[in-house]
Amino acid sequence: MAAYTAVDDPEAHFQVQLYTGNGSADHAITLGGDTDMQPDWVWIKNRDAADSHCIFDALRGPGKVFNSNHYEESDDADTLDAFQSDGFRVDADVKVNTNTEKYVAWCWKANGSGSANTAGSINTTATSANTTSGFSIIQYTGNATNGATIGHGLGVAPTLMISRNQSNNSWSLYWKVLGPTKFMTLESNASIGTSANRLNSTDPSTTLITLGSDNEANKNATGTLMYAFAPVQGFSKFGKYVGNANADGNFVYLGFKPALVIVKKSSATDNWFMFDNKREGYNAINDALRPNLNNAELDLSGVGMDLLSNGFKLRSGDDDLNDSNTFVYMAFAEQPLVNSNGVPCTAR
């Protein structure tokens, strides 16, 4: 039979890792999957305290911190100080390593520190592309020119892109299902925005991403990072759904058992929400973190979601996740619904 997925072992490309801080320097966090993975994009959140979300990548290097809940990049050697062959190492900063406090890290593998990509009109400083999992990290210097292009290295067109420059400008998120003139902002609860100058009104191609002149994607003479994702059957999906405002909430089919689901109402104002398979480990999943806020973990008390063998199901008509609005989502697999040998995954 034909393979259902190209990724039989999602943990070789993405893992959710829980850890407890010890407050000391050089606290090594070993990823818990069966396959060793050196992560290239690490997103850490303190579950117990109102500390900022901390985002690190191998292209900028250890100690370079983006926060999803505000604009600035910071230099902090006391945060993540090493990417390691089987995980990462944190220092003593409270945002990543307060003694006895609980943390979660979402970890993606790209392709190490990458190399320059010269396919576009802007040569990237580095492009680190994992073509198997459909994930690429791209670093480049903007030129504020409508129609400028950068190579993404994936070989297929990305359908989700998350970008921001290294000065004080907003995050910008593109979903193909929303179109190239629409954007979301990670640090805000705002509804969908419109701009022809983020991506020059152009969807990405199999090789290139077209940029506009807006600062969020192409600020002149400024370093910019873009995280680009192409969907891979049985591993990742980036789409939208319309809520049914019903206690018997919507089911969203993915084709895999999700390890991480991030949801945002796009047609109205509301917070972002992150759910994963590790913090509770059983349905219903009610423990939520919100990328646009630094708040500690929130118990939604029965209005979260179930993570199922083939997708996710909303558990109420609550307006955060399932009222009569449009929501966008990104999801990454714990296990494909059916692997390349035809073996189905287990139900939760």
Side-chain angles (χ1 to χ4, degrees):
M1 63 179 296
Y4 186 81
T5 179
V7 181
D8 279 333
D9 182 11
E11 287 189 332
H13 305 278
F14 171 75
Q15 292 189 34
V16 181
Q17 181 64 44
L18 306 181
Y19 68 93
T20 300
N22 64 12
S24 65
D26 300 332
H27 183 20
I29 309 301
T30 302
L31 299 183
D34 293 333
T35 303
D36 283 348
M37 185 189 88
Q38 179 167 325
D40 299 305
W41 193 38
V42 177
W43 181 336
I44 298 173
K45 177 66 179 83
N46 187 337
R47 302 168 60 194
D48 288 337
D51 290 325
S52 289
H53 293 249
C54 295
I55 296 174
F56 309 89
D57 60 72
L59 271 61
R60 289 178 302 140
K64 295 283 189 179
V65 189
F66 282 150
N67 305 117
S68 65
N69 50 288
H70 58 81
Y71 305 139
E72 295 85 359
E73 181 189 55
S74 59
D75 290 306
D76 190 343
D78 290 333
T79 55
L80 185 148
D81 61 16
F83 298 93
Q84 299 186 312
S85 61
D86 58 357
F88 57 93
R89 191 179 67 212
V90 291
D91 214 300
D93 189 282
V94 296
K95 295 187 294 295
V96 298
N97 192 21
T98 301
N99 189 38
T100 75
E101 291 188 348
K102 299 190 297 294
Y103 293 83
V104 59
W106 303 284
C107 306
W108 289 260
K109 178 179 176 59
N111 191 22
S113 58
S115 58
N117 185 305
T118 60
S121 63
I122 297 175
N123 293 339
T124 69
T125 306
T127 298
S128 179
N130 182 340
T131 57
T132 300
S133 69
F135 173 51
S136 180
I137 308 173
I138 307 156
Q139 186 175 35
Y140 58 97
T141 299
N143 64 10
T145 301
N146 280 321
T149 56
I150 54 172
H152 54 72
L154 291 174
V156 293
T159 62
L160 168 68
M161 299 183 302
I162 304 171
S163 65
R164 61 147 301 148
N165 65 55
Q166 292 175 260
S167 63
N168 297 339
N169 288 101
S170 179
W171 290 89
S172 184
L173 285 83
Y174 154 91
W175 262 271
K176 182 175 176 60
V177 293
L178 299 179
T181 64
K182 305 297 183 182
F183 66 91
M184 306 292 293
T185 51
L186 191 58
E187 76 283 355
S188 168
N189 68 352
S191 61
I192 191 171
T194 300
S195 172
N197 291 326
R198 294 281 172 111
L199 297 173
N200 200 38
S201 302
T202 306
D203 286 314
S205 73
T206 57
T207 56
L208 297 175
I209 295 166
T210 302
L211 306 174
S213 58
D214 277 3
N215 286 341
E216 286 74 10
N218 196 16
K219 186 174 183 178
N220 190 47
T222 301
T224 301
L225 272 291
M226 184 176 286
Y227 309 104
F229 299 87
V232 173
Q233 188 169 347
F235 175 75
S236 60
K237 193 171 182 180
F238 317 104
K240 64 180 180 179
Y241 64 90
V242 177
N244 66 10
N246 194 299
D248 184 16
N250 262 3
F251 168 72
V252 179
Y253 177 80
L254 300 173
F256 53 84
K257 179 194 292 187
L260 171 66
V261 179
I262 304 176
V263 174
K264 171 70 173 77
K265 186 183 296 183
S266 60
S267 57
T269 300
D270 211 330
N271 292 312
W272 293 81
F273 289 90
M274 304 178 79
F275 303 90
D276 63 57
N277 63 336
K278 293 291 181 67
R279 283 179 287 137
E280 283 173 298
Y282 54 86
N283 289 322
I285 306 296
N286 293 316
D287 287 347
L289 290 163
R290 292 165 288 181
N292 58 300
L293 300 173
N294 70 351
N295 298 45
E297 191 169 78
L298 172 69
D299 183 355
L300 290 178
S301 300
V303 300
M305 64 174 61
D306 286 345
L307 302 181
L308 305 173
S309 62
N310 57 352
F312 62 91
K313 180 176 174 60
L314 287 312
R315 301 308 307 171
S316 80
D318 183 80
D319 61 1
D320 287 328
L321 300 170
N322 193 37
D323 65 7
S324 300
N325 274 287
T326 299
F327 297 77
V328 289
Y329 68 85
M330 60 183 90
F332 301 90
E334 173 187 338
Q335 190 176 355
L337 176 60
V338 179
N339 71 16
S340 61
N341 294 314
V343 178
C345 74
T346 58
R348 187 169 296 275

